[in-house]
Amino acid sequence: MDKDLENLTELAKEKLEENKKYFQRLKRRTPKRLDLLMQELHDKEFEKTDCLTCGNCCKTTSPIFTEKDIERISKHLKMKVRDFVSQYLERDIDDFMVLKSSPCTFLDERDNSCFIYKVRPKACAEYPHTNRKKFAKISDLTIKNTEVCPATYRIVEELKKRLPLGGSTKR
């Protein structure tokens, strides 16, 4: 199990205001090299992080399912799209299709593997989005993910060390 997972909610809440201020400054003065730095930090973190030892994202949150995701997964499960939607999904308050329940229906909790890994939603394949282009534009999502994903928490903390933006950032 990931050592930071045990206290992750507390750690993320302690850093919440600091992270909000940091990302506000980052949006105002986005360095040209930010995406390259994020790719480096992401790659370095995931060289030592095995998501199967954690699985917290699958246990606590739902990805957004796009129409393409729904069609692909329905086909894989040999289900009609409407039956898949009816059985597994619902619209959230932002009008996105998400899972009706958590942990994820497709999570094998014995080993944190995914029953539909090869056809999983795009949002799962890209999670935790720390290597996405135009990273500065997803700061709210990143801050939220620091509460769910220990790797995201560590990446953000390393980002603040490697790219100080002035102002007071406690360490």
Side-chain angles (χ1 to χ4, degrees):
M1 179 193 274
D2 192 298
K3 64 180 174 43
D4 288 331
L5 181 59
E6 209 171 287
N7 303 312
L8 187 62
T9 302
E10 294 162 26
L11 290 168
K13 284 184 180 170
E14 285 173 12
K15 299 284 186 173
L16 181 62
E17 289 307 312
E18 178 183 321
N19 288 342
K20 283 181 180 179
K21 289 176 185 171
Y22 180 84
F23 280 104
Q24 284 171 351
R25 288 191 303 271
L26 188 67
K27 279 182 181 178
R28 281 195 303 268
R29 297 188 326 218
T30 305
K32 287 184 172 137
R33 65 186 180 102
L34 178 63
D35 288 346
L36 286 173
L37 176 59
M38 288 309 300
Q39 183 69 55
E40 178 187 326
L41 295 174
H42 175 92
D43 291 348
K44 186 175 179 185
E45 178 61 37
F46 282 99
E47 284 174 9
K48 59 187 177 191
T49 298
D50 178 5
C51 294
L52 293 176
T53 63
C54 178
N56 198 44
C57 53
C58 303
K59 293 172 184 172
T60 61
T61 61
S62 173
I64 292 170
F65 285 72
T66 66
E67 287 302 316
K68 284 183 177 182
D69 293 334
I70 293 167
E71 290 170 14
R72 184 178 62 255
I73 297 166
S74 298
K75 184 178 178 182
H76 176 78
L77 297 174
K78 297 177 174 51
M79 295 178 76
K80 291 181 179 174
V81 168
R82 75 169 183 269
D83 293 338
F84 174 79
V85 170
S86 172
Q87 185 170 345
Y88 297 111
L89 304 178
E90 65 186 9
R91 290 213 176 269
D92 69 5
I93 57 171
D94 297 317
D95 205 30
F96 292 118
M97 294 301 285
V98 297
L99 291 168
K100 286 183 180 180
S101 62
S102 65
C104 177
T105 309
F106 307 108
L107 174 69
D108 184 340
E109 291 189 72
R110 294 171 296 173
D111 63 1
N112 292 328
S113 63
C114 176
F115 294 122
I116 60 166
Y117 187 80
K118 289 182 179 176
V119 295
R120 68 195 184 279
K122 181 181 179 197
C124 295
E126 294 178 353
Y127 193 83
H129 314 286
T130 48
N131 61 346
R132 188 187 284 184
K133 288 185 183 350
K134 299 182 182 173
F135 174 77
K137 292 185 176 188
I138 60 163
S139 58
D140 291 344
L141 177 62
T142 301
I143 291 169
K144 187 173 189 236
N145 286 344
T146 63
E147 297 177 27
V148 176
C149 175
T152 304
Y153 176 84
R154 290 189 293 268
I155 289 167
V156 168
E157 290 305 301
E158 187 61 26
L159 173 64
K160 292 186 296 189
K161 289 177 192 169
R162 297 267 303 270
L163 189 64
L165 296 175
S168 64
T169 53
K170 297 177 201 164
R171 296 214 182 137

